[in-house]
Amino acid sequence: MLALDFIRRHPDEVRRAAQLKGEEAPVDEILELDRRWRECLEVAEKARAQQNELSKRFAKTKDTEDLRKAKEVGEEAKRELARAAEMKQKLDDLLLRVPNLFHESVPIGESEADNVVLREWGSRPDFAFEPRTHYELGEALGIMDFERAARVAGSRFAFLTGAGARLERALVQFMLNLHTGEHGYTEVYPPILVNSASMIGTAQLPKFGDDAFRVQDRDLWLIPTAEVPVTNMHRQEILDGARLPLNYVAYTPCFRSEAGAAGKDTRGYIRMHQFSKVELVRLVEPEKSLEALDELTSQAEEVLRRLGLHYQLMVMCTGDMGFAQYKKYDLNVWCPGLGRYLEVSSCSLFNDFQARRASLRYRPAPGEAPRFLHTLNGSGLALTRTLDAVLETYQRADGGIEVPEVLRPYFGGSEILHSS
RNA sequence: GGGGAGGUGGCUGAGUGGUCGAAAGCGCCCGCCUGCUAAGCGGGUAGGGGGUGUUGAGCUCCCUCGAGGGUUCGAAUCCCUCCCUUCCCGCCA
């Protein structure tokens, strides 16, 4: 969330950012409620101060008149403090609904169409035959099964079997080894269920609860991304500045209800209720966060490069970047069979937006005051679509799949993937 | 799931109704001392919010001893609920 103090001083800036993001920001309500809350708080705290004073005096004097007054003032203080607390709670709830600002380098725009391609890597491969889609290939090879998954779980689920499951595992291993071995990340295996406070911390709640699955009768949510447990890992801590930056990589399943996604072009292994993802999360000093975002993004790109997959890097425009993001890149991988790009990674900087919600702070140096961290994260990468791109890019005329060289160690060295 | 013990500042840990936002030790910071280092000596050292003020000095008030309620003029301390940790039993991968 944004600092209340900042909204007080720069309401127009907050309004403008919200508008360009296509979000609502209850700025006027906040300013009004903030004014009333502070008024009320002042009255309440003065009464409390008086009560404390009288109470202390009574301890010494045992004067019944002091006692009487203390009781009286105490009642008032209690009443007013309750009022103030009620206002503050409303205020806090409103604050959680104000979108983040965005960096000046973010292009202004309304939709996907206004995102800007920053660079491309590789090129669309040529085929001497009509390339097939990953789901055609996957079903023909017997490594992807949507029908049985529908019976077992429902639509938007899939089984990977045999070489398909192994390919996913190979990709996970490859990504984790790259990020831990060469990019300096610490591997984390986090909880897959988290409480509401964590969901608020990374800004899935209160606004986007419908996008996630919740466990019945318990305050637990299936994580929509490892960003949630990993970013919240240091919630309410004051970290030693000397330990920064913290770089974590986590492989987890992710769960999304995909409410409202029906009807979009999502045939295949693309938009699942459950999917695997290797996620990069960084907690860094504010001054270094923009640089850290570019670095994190290039680390995600490195996965695609080593896999030899053609992709483009986009910077998201204001209208498409999201509620909490300060700046966001998408990596879109080319799928020759589908004939379009699929998003395999979103790399976002949140500035202190999440850090304020989750109270993630650090002490720059001993004796100095705590400051909020900056948080960022990005997929490195989403498994489903990376797997799709591998199948579609490395398909052969005979329906087999050439195993990308970097994955061969995880396939016992085999070069071709045939039907199971 | 049943029973016991417990959750206090960066850490260890004392504190069972006011003199406690909190002893002591460790750590850390500043200074002194000694060729250097270590040791020693002195001082400082929780977080959040409001007001005023400065622009990131200060002054002042309020809140916070796992969380939320309650009793009381007054709660770290007493009562209730919940969460978490740990031990024993049960169950289990």
Side-chain angles (χ1 to χ4, degrees):
Chain A
M1 62 186 175
L2 300 176
L4 179 53
D5 185 52
F6 182 87
I7 300 175
R8 264 178 219 149
R9 282 201 278 226
H10 310 281
D12 290 333
E13 205 173 316
V14 177
R15 284 193 196 97
R16 172 175 176 271
Q19 197 219 326
L20 290 171
K21 279 187 161 192
E23 303 273 354
E24 298 289 317
V27 173
D28 294 321
E29 260 180 282
I30 286 171
L31 292 176
E32 169 64 12
L33 194 54
D34 173 48
R35 197 182 53 73
R36 285 174 47 211
W37 165 64
R38 285 188 291 167
E39 251 173 44
C40 183
L41 189 65
E42 206 175 323
V43 173
E45 289 190 348
K46 277 191 178 141
R48 179 65 89 196
Q50 207 183 339
Q51 186 205 359
N52 287 342
E53 184 55 43
L54 284 165
S55 182
K56 258 183 226 162
R57 205 197 307 168
F58 172 75
K60 286 183 199 145
T61 62
K62 300 290 175 194
D63 182 342
T64 54
E65 180 60 12
D66 285 341
L67 180 63
R68 194 191 60 75
K69 270 202 249 166
K71 279 190 191 183
E72 193 182 303
V73 179
E75 283 304 311
E76 188 198 344
K78 197 172 180 178
R79 202 171 52 238
E80 292 300 315
L81 281 171
R83 260 188 74 205
E86 202 181 311
M87 285 186 224
K88 186 59 164 50
Q89 203 183 341
K90 271 187 206 157
L91 188 55
D92 287 341
D93 182 63
L94 288 174
L95 284 173
L96 291 178
R97 294 168 189 276
V98 176
N100 200 0
L101 306 171
F102 55 84
H103 188 253
E104 59 191 17
S105 65
V106 172
I108 308 289
E110 289 182 7
S111 70
E112 209 178 330
D114 301 312
N115 297 335
V116 176
V117 177
L118 288 185
R119 59 173 171 262
E120 299 206 356
W121 186 90
S123 57
R124 302 180 186 188
D126 287 325
F127 291 92
F129 54 95
E130 187 66 26
R132 299 207 271 168
T133 62
H134 65 275
Y135 51 87
E136 289 163 344
L137 292 162
E139 289 184 318
L141 287 164
I143 62 173
M144 251 182 207
D145 190 332
F146 297 96
E147 274 186 46
R148 291 194 173 92
R151 190 190 308 150
V152 170
S155 67
R156 295 190 189 283
F157 286 95
F159 278 105
L160 295 177
T161 55
R166 185 162 190 175
L167 177 56
E168 165 134 336
R169 178 159 54 91
L171 285 165
V172 170
Q173 294 266 58
F174 163 63
M175 291 179 196
L176 286 174
N177 287 347
L178 175 63
H179 296 310
T180 57
E182 297 183 42
H183 295 156
Y185 286 77
T186 302
E187 187 171 347
V188 174
Y189 179 72
I192 307 302
L193 292 165
V194 296
N195 57 30
S196 296
S198 295
M199 291 285 276
I200 289 170
T202 31
Q204 280 72 28
L205 292 178
K207 286 194 73 172
F208 309 106
D210 287 347
D211 296 337
F213 288 107
R214 185 174 186 173
V215 177
Q216 199 163 28
D217 299 326
R218 312 238 358 207
D219 181 29
L220 287 173
W221 301 75
L222 281 162
I223 59 167
T225 159
E227 163 193 351
V228 180
V230 178
T231 308
N232 277 282
M233 195 163 122
H234 297 288
R235 181 144 46 86
Q236 288 172 324
E237 289 185 35
I238 299 174
L239 298 162
D240 179 356
R243 283 181 62 198
L244 298 179
L246 295 181
N247 306 320
Y248 295 119
V249 57
Y251 155 66
T252 69
C254 303
F255 302 91
R256 299 189 184 176
S257 69
E258 299 296 352
K264 294 198 182 171
D265 187 12
T266 55
R267 168 113 197 253
Y269 195 50
I270 294 176
R271 192 183 280 273
M272 303 279 101
H273 284 311
Q274 176 190 330
F275 64 99
S276 297
K277 186 155 59 71
V278 170
E279 183 76 0
L280 305 171
V281 175
R282 304 188 63 176
L283 306 183
V284 306
E285 293 160 84
E287 289 73 18
K288 298 181 179 163
S289 62
L290 268 173
E291 189 189 334
L293 175 65
D294 287 346
E295 187 177 80
L296 180 147
T297 304
S298 73
Q299 288 160 344
E301 285 179 77
E302 184 63 18
V303 176
L304 291 169
R305 286 192 213 107
R306 294 208 190 180
L307 286 170
L309 298 172
H310 166 55
Y311 69 89
Q312 54 182 208
L313 170 71
M314 302 189 97
V315 59
M316 310 299 279
C317 74
T318 54
D320 202 31
M321 69 190 291
F323 173 81
Q325 287 81 353
Y326 186 71
K327 183 169 185 179
K328 174 168 154 185
Y329 297 114
D330 269 7
L331 290 176
N332 299 322
V333 71
W334 176 250
C335 289
L338 293 170
R340 61 186 170 105
Y341 290 93
L342 291 181
E343 179 192 327
V344 281
S345 177
S346 260
C347 301
S348 306
L349 169 62
F350 298 87
N351 270 12
D352 59 3
F353 192 80
Q354 292 181 326
R356 286 179 183 279
R357 292 174 162 248
S359 190
L360 295 167
R361 293 175 295 170
Y362 75 105
R363 201 181 295 284
E368 287 185 32
R371 300 178 68 197
F372 286 107
L373 291 157
H374 280 192
T375 62
L376 42 148
N377 64 61
S379 339
L381 306 164
L383 267 296
T384 38
R385 298 169 184 180
T386 304
L387 189 142
D388 298 343
V390 168
L391 293 180
E392 296 191 12
T393 301
Y394 287 92
Q395 62 181 301
R396 307 186 332 159
D398 66 1
I401 309 293
E402 187 189 334
V403 178
E405 203 159 323
V406 290
L407 296 183
R408 284 179 197 167
Y410 306 101
F411 273 90
S414 53
E415 293 171 21
I416 307 295
L417 192 155
H418 292 291
S419 55
S420 317

